[in-house]
Amino acid sequence: MSPSSSIAAEPGAVPAPDEHHEHHPSYLVDGTTLKSWLLTLDHKRIGVMYLIWVLLFFLIGGIYALVVRLELLTPGPTIIDAMTYNRAFTMHGVVMIFLFMIPAIPGAFGNFMLPLMLGAKDVAFPRLNLLSLYLLLIGAAIAIWGMINGGMDTGWTFYTPYSTHTTTTVAPILFGAFIIGFSSIATGLNFIVTTHTMRAPGITWFKMPLFVWAMYATACIQVLATPVLGLVLLLVVGEHLFQFGIFDPAQGGDPVLFQHLFWFYSHPAVYIMVLPSFGVMSEVVATFSRKNIFGYRAVAFSSLGIAFVGFFAWGHHMFVSGQSTFNAGVFAVLTMLVGVFTAIKVFNWVGTVYKGAVDFKTPFAYFCGFLYFTVFGGMTGVAFATASLDVPWHDTYFVVAHFHFIMVGATIMAFMAALHYWFPKMFGKSYHEGWGLVSAAFIILGFNATFIPQFLLGNAGMPRRYYEYPERFQTLNVASTAGASLLAFGFLISAIYLTYGLVYGRRAASNPWRSRGYEWMTESPPPTHNFVGPQPTYSEEPHFYVEPKKAEVPDAV
C-alpha cells in the first residue's frame, strides 16, 4: 500500500513494510541549518523541538527531586538547609508540572501526530504553533531566572497569603508561568481548529483515532481553564509587588478566594496532563493486542466526560478550608463521577487485550505499568474524594504518593510508551528492544519503591513539605530515597540506548509494529508535507484489526 493510497484494503491486512516503498526525503533533511529548525513552520519539527526541551525540563525537575530525597535520608539536616529545601521542592513541582507534564505529550507527540492522524499536511495555524513553542521557552527562561536568583519557597500551589509576603522571587516565577499559559492556550486553539477543519476525506468524527479524541478534549480544557490560572497568577504578582489586598486578610482580602480560583484551573489541569496519556494508551493497546479497540465510542465520549466533569470537582482540594458539609458532599460525588469515566476506559482497554494476540514490546510494558498506576492511584483518588478520609490525610505524604501515582506515574508511563512507540515514526531509527524492557522494569519497580513507602508515611501521619521529621519515619524515608535512585537509574538506561539508537540505530521499517493507525500510512520518518502525492482518503476505522469472516460451512446432514 503506498502512502498516498486509501487505507481501505483486505480486512485484517496491514501496510506493507518499509522495504517495498520508494523513499522520499524526510522532514529531518529538508533544511539542515540551525535557522531552518528555529524558524520552521513544520509541525513535525516543532514537535521534535518540544520533545528536546521537555526532556531537558524533565532532567531539571528530576535533579530537584533527587535533592529533596537525599535531604530526607536523615531526620535532621543532611545536605541542604531548611530554606534551600523549601525552594527545592517548590522548583521540583513548578518545573515538572508547568514545564514537563502539561506540555510534554500535547507539545511533542500531539504536534507531531495529530495532522498525520487526520491526513492533514500541517496544523491549522503553523505560525501560531511555532509561537506557542517560543512562549513556552520565554516563560521557562523567566521562571528559571527567578529560580537562579533566589528561588521560591511557597510550594507549586503558591498559596496566599504566604506567597504575597515571602521575600523569595515570587514575581518572576509566577510571571513565567503566566506566559507559559499563553503557550498552552495557543496549542489548544490550534488543535481544536485542526480537528474541526482539516480532517481528510473519509475521517468522520467517529473514525478519528482515539489519540485525536483525547487531544481534542485536552485542548478544550486548555482554552477554557488556562485563562483563569493566568488571571490568578497575575493577581498574586500584583498583590506581592503592590499589596492590592485581594488575598491578604490583613487588608480585607480572602485567601480562600485564591484557592477557589487556583483549583478551578488546576484540577482540570490534572486532566490536561492525564487525558493525553489516555489517548496514547488507546493507540498502544490496540496495536500490541492486534485488535480493534473495544468500545471505541465509549472511550471517545469518556474523554469528553472527564473534560466536562473536571471543571466541577475543584472543591475536593478544599475539604479543610471551612466549606459547608453540603458543598463537601457535592464535590465528593462529582469527583467520584470522574472515576466512572476513567473506569470506562480501563475496562475497555482490558477488553481490548482480552483474547488479543499480544506482542509484548517496550510500549506495551509501559501500558501495563500505566494500567497499574491508573487503577491503584484512581482507587486512592476515590478515597480522597471521601471527606472523612481526606481530612486526616490532608497535607500528609499520602497526598504526595497519590498525586505521583495517578498523575506523574500515569503521565510518565504514557510519555515513555509514546516515545518508544513513535520513535521509529519520528526518526526512522530502531532502539534496542531488550534494553527497552530492562529500563521499563527498573522504572516501574523504582516508581513503586519510591512512593509506596510514602503512602505508609502519610498513613502514619508524616506531614508533607517538612524539612525535619521524627526518627521513627527514617526507615521508610530511606526506602523511598532508594526507590528514587532505582527510578533514576532506569531513566539513565533509557537515555543511553535511545541516544545510541538515534545516532547508530539501524533504519526502522516504515511500520515496524504493523499498526493500523492512520499515522503509519506514510513513510518513517515522514516527508516534509506528510504524504507523497494527493491527500489520502480513508474508508476504514482506525486500528482495523478485525479478521475477515470465514466462509460459512453448511451443517452436515
Side-chain angles (χ1 to χ4, degrees):
M1 182 186 298
S2 69
S4 60
S5 67
S6 167
I7 251 181
E10 180 184 355
V14 295
D18 157 89
E19 291 85 350
H20 301 295
H21 282 170
E22 177 186 352
H23 293 293
H24 299 83
S26 79
Y27 77 97
L28 290 170
V29 297
D30 187 7
T32 56
T33 64
L34 181 62
K35 180 180 178 182
S36 71
W37 277 85
L38 296 180
L39 299 181
T40 184
L41 299 181
D42 185 350
H43 68 99
K44 298 180 293 299
R45 288 193 166 196
I46 293 171
V48 170
M49 289 193 289
Y50 259 108
L51 179 62
I52 293 169
W53 282 106
V54 297
L55 285 172
L56 176 62
F57 297 142
F58 181 55
L59 174 63
I60 295 171
I63 291 172
Y64 276 121
L66 288 176
V67 168
V68 169
R69 288 313 320 163
L70 288 173
E71 174 53 41
L72 293 174
L73 270 174
T74 64
T78 307
I79 59 171
I80 54 178
D81 60 31
M83 178 56 79
T84 305
Y85 171 79
N86 290 346
R87 290 168 174 167
F89 74 69
T90 299
M91 293 303 102
H92 165 66
V94 170
V95 171
M96 290 296 283
I97 290 172
F98 293 106
L99 296 179
F100 174 69
M101 289 202 297
I102 287 178
I105 295 177
F109 304 111
N111 265 315
F112 199 106
M113 298 300 162
L114 191 76
L116 290 173
M117 288 182 170
L118 294 176
K121 293 190 175 182
D122 211 311
V123 292
F125 307 117
R127 288 177 175 80
L128 184 64
N129 199 20
L130 182 63
L131 177 63
S132 71
L133 171 64
Y134 286 118
L135 286 173
L136 174 71
L137 298 183
I138 291 169
I142 295 172
I144 291 173
W145 179 88
M147 297 177 199
I148 295 171
N149 290 273
M152 185 168 62
D153 65 340
T154 64
W156 74 272
T157 52
F158 321 126
Y159 268 16
T160 59
Y162 184 73
S163 59
T164 61
H165 287 81
T166 177
T167 57
T168 55
T169 53
V170 167
I173 294 173
L174 292 188
F175 188 65
F178 173 76
I179 294 174
I180 291 168
F182 282 97
S183 170
S184 187
I185 294 170
T187 299
L189 281 171
N190 224 338
F191 287 175
I192 290 172
V193 177
T194 301
T195 304
H196 275 274
T197 65
M198 301 190 68
R199 301 193 307 276
I203 301 183
T204 62
W205 279 95
F206 293 109
K207 283 187 180 178
M208 293 195 310
L210 288 169
F211 181 74
V212 177
W213 275 101
M215 294 309 308
Y216 181 80
T218 303
C220 292
I221 301 175
Q222 288 174 305
V223 171
L224 295 175
T226 308
V228 179
L229 177 70
L231 168 67
V232 71
L233 293 184
L234 212 56
L235 289 175
V236 174
V237 171
E239 179 105 336
H240 184 77
L241 296 178
F242 307 112
Q243 291 77 49
F244 286 157
I246 298 170
F247 304 121
D248 187 356
Q251 302 183 58
D254 183 2
V256 177
L257 173 62
F258 171 84
Q259 292 189 43
H260 279 290
L261 292 173
F262 179 82
W263 288 116
F264 182 80
Y265 162 79
S266 292
H267 189 73
V270 165
Y271 306 113
I272 293 177
M273 295 178 248
V274 80
L275 271 173
S277 304
F278 292 161
V280 169
M281 289 308 170
S282 294
E283 301 297 319
V284 167
V285 70
T287 294
F288 292 96
S289 298
R290 311 300 305 157
K291 281 180 64 181
N292 204 359
I293 196 76
F294 186 87
Y296 169 91
R297 293 199 178 204
V299 177
F301 282 128
S302 64
S303 293
L304 299 180
I306 289 172
F308 178 74
V309 176
F311 279 98
F312 302 98
W314 80 90
H316 68 242
H317 294 276
M318 302 170 60
F319 283 149
V320 297
S321 67
Q323 64 180 309
S324 70
T325 304
F326 176 79
N327 284 348
V330 171
F331 282 123
V333 171
L334 290 170
T335 302
M336 292 179 186
L337 187 57
V338 175
V340 173
F341 291 119
T342 306
I344 289 171
K345 291 183 179 294
V346 169
F347 282 115
N348 280 280
W349 290 328
V350 172
T352 303
V353 175
Y354 180 65
K355 290 188 177 181
V358 174
D359 188 12
F360 201 94
K361 301 293 187 182
T362 302
F364 192 81
Y366 283 111
F367 165 76
C368 295
F370 174 88
L371 204 62
Y372 163 72
F373 288 124
T374 301
V375 173
F376 192 115
M379 289 190 298
T380 60
V382 173
F384 267 119
T386 307
S388 58
L389 293 174
D390 181 88
V391 170
W393 278 335
H394 194 81
D395 275 337
T396 71
Y397 260 86
F398 204 96
V399 176
V400 178
H402 157 73
F403 180 84
H404 281 83
F405 250 68
I406 190 63
M407 294 309 311
V408 185
T411 301
I412 287 179
M413 291 297 106
F415 179 81
M416 295 299 288
L419 184 58
H420 288 80
Y421 178 55
W422 285 314
F423 189 87
K425 171 57 60 180
M426 297 175 76
F427 305 111
K429 295 291 189 73
S430 299
Y431 57 85
H432 193 284
E433 182 62 37
W435 280 115
L437 292 172
V438 169
S439 175
F442 272 109
I443 290 171
I444 294 169
L445 291 174
F447 213 92
N448 279 280
T450 303
F451 296 106
I452 287 179
Q454 294 185 21
F455 277 117
L456 301 175
L457 284 168
N459 210 43
M462 180 176 169
R464 57 176 169 160
R465 300 181 174 179
Y466 272 36
Y467 176 65
E468 298 183 3
Y469 56 83
E471 289 187 6
R472 69 179 185 275
F473 295 138
Q474 183 173 8
T475 301
L476 288 171
N477 271 295
V478 170
S480 181
T481 300
S485 302
L486 189 66
L487 183 60
F489 182 65
F491 284 120
L492 178 62
I493 295 174
S494 294
I496 292 171
Y497 71 74
L498 287 175
T499 303
Y500 183 88
L502 192 62
V503 178
Y504 302 107
R506 62 180 177 82
R507 180 172 177 81
S510 278
N511 188 359
W513 315 121
R514 301 187 69 79
S515 170
R516 297 292 298 176
Y518 291 165
E519 74 275 22
W520 296 100
M521 298 300 136
T522 186
E523 297 175 0
S524 299
T528 301
H529 297 294
N530 295 344
F531 305 96
V532 177
Q535 186 181 38
T537 57
Y538 299 80
S539 59
E540 288 181 5
E541 297 177 0
H543 298 294
F544 188 72
Y545 294 103
V546 179
E547 294 293 333
K549 293 182 179 180
K550 295 180 181 179
E552 295 184 4
V553 179
D555 295 333
V557 178

